[in-house]
């Protein structure tokens, strides 16, 4: 009987030779067995969605559901940022990105429903979320989307190349 745990990571759907080389170099992940033994360093509770109006200073991370009604770029050079206005049906909050502006401009569809996860900041009399994790809402039943989520140790190089905990989780699910 073949031992699939010795299969090279590059043969896993969505990995390929480029990402496999990054995982080899940065995390010493060479096989399916290696990625299964790459344990999370913490878990985040994403089982609850709150309303924007209920955000308070004592909440470390929040998850909200709503639509992006508008987006714009502000600033120049290193102070350039993308600002989106996220609305949950009752209230709005600004989502701000300083990095990956081009990616998010292409990814975001105005009026589409998203789930947003991040740390709220109180600045100039209002709340905002800087560099939130944004994912498309998939249907009416949120029970599959809301859960306890594993966060894996990564390196800066992997983060720059868009290999994140979500990518690692999706690889593990395939196995």
């Amino acid at each position: 009987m073949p031992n699939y745990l010795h299969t090279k990571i590059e043969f896993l759907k969505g990995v390929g030779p480029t990402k496999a080389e990054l995982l080899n170099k940065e995390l010493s992940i060479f096989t399916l067995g290696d990625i299964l033994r790459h344990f999370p360093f913490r878990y985040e509770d994403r089982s609850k969605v709150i309303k924007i109006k209920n955000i308070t200073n004592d909440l470390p991370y929040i998850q909200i559901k709503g639509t992006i009604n508008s987006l714009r770029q502000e600033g120049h050079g290193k102070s350039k940022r993308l600002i989106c206005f996220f609305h949950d049906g009752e209230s709005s909050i600004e989502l701000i990105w300083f990095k990956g502006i081009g990616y998010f401009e292409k990814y975001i569809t105005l009026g589409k429903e998203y789930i947003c996860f991040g740390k709220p900041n109180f600045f100039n009399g209002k709340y905002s979320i800087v560099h939130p994790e944004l994912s498309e809402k998939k249907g009416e039943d949120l029970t599959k989307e809301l859960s306890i989520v594993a966060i894996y140790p990564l390196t800066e190089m992997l983060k720059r190349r868009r290999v994140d905990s979500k990518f690692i989780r999706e690889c593990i699910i395939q196995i």
Side-chain angles (χ1 to χ4, degrees):
M1 176 178 246
N3 188 344
Y4 294 105
L5 296 180
H6 295 297
T7 304
K8 290 185 179 183
I9 194 74
E10 68 189 55
F11 296 114
L12 195 59
K13 182 181 173 189
V15 177
T18 305
K19 285 186 180 168
E21 187 178 328
L22 270 173
L23 291 170
N24 295 170
K25 182 179 176 188
E26 297 293 318
L27 299 176
S28 296
I29 294 175
F30 298 92
T31 66
L32 300 184
D34 292 338
I35 201 162
L36 284 175
R37 289 184 288 275
H38 185 68
F39 298 110
F41 69 93
R42 77 168 190 266
Y43 294 88
E44 292 175 344
D45 183 358
R46 298 188 186 187
S47 62
K48 297 176 185 86
V49 173
I50 70 165
K51 291 285 192 182
I52 294 170
K53 67 180 182 181
N54 295 331
I55 296 173
T56 60
N57 288 333
D58 61 339
L59 296 172
Y61 285 90
I62 60 167
Q63 187 162 254
I64 53 180
K65 176 183 65 130
T67 58
I68 294 177
N69 299 332
S70 67
L71 60 113
R72 69 176 190 274
Q73 281 191 32
E74 287 187 3
H76 302 288
K78 292 188 180 206
S79 66
K80 191 175 185 179
R81 61 198 175 279
L82 178 66
I83 300 173
C84 297
F85 292 93
F86 192 85
H87 189 71
D88 69 1
E90 297 176 21
S91 306
S92 293
I93 190 170
E94 286 184 350
L95 307 180
I96 304 168
W97 288 273
F98 294 97
K99 297 177 181 178
I101 292 171
Y103 169 80
F104 284 104
E105 278 186 318
K106 290 177 190 172
Y107 173 76
I108 293 170
T109 303
L110 297 180
K112 184 178 260 186
E113 239 182 329
Y114 292 97
I115 295 175
C116 173
F117 180 81
K119 183 172 178 36
N121 299 301
F122 192 73
F123 183 72
N124 280 345
K126 61 184 176 180
Y127 284 101
S128 64
I129 303 175
V130 177
H131 289 281
E133 188 176 308
L134 203 60
S135 57
E136 292 180 25
K137 184 176 167 286
K138 297 176 179 116
E140 290 303 312
D141 183 15
L142 283 176
T143 55
K144 292 179 183 169
E145 296 177 61
L146 304 179
S147 62
I148 305 297
V149 176
I151 305 300
Y152 291 88
L154 302 168
T155 65
E156 282 304 313
M157 176 60 76
L158 289 169
K159 291 175 188 175
R160 277 187 258 143
R161 303 288 295 275
R162 302 216 189 290
V163 175
D164 56 10
S165 281
K166 185 176 181 180
F167 176 81
I168 302 289
R169 287 191 302 269
E170 289 170 359
C171 287
I172 291 171
I173 288 169
Q174 288 183 56
I175 300 171

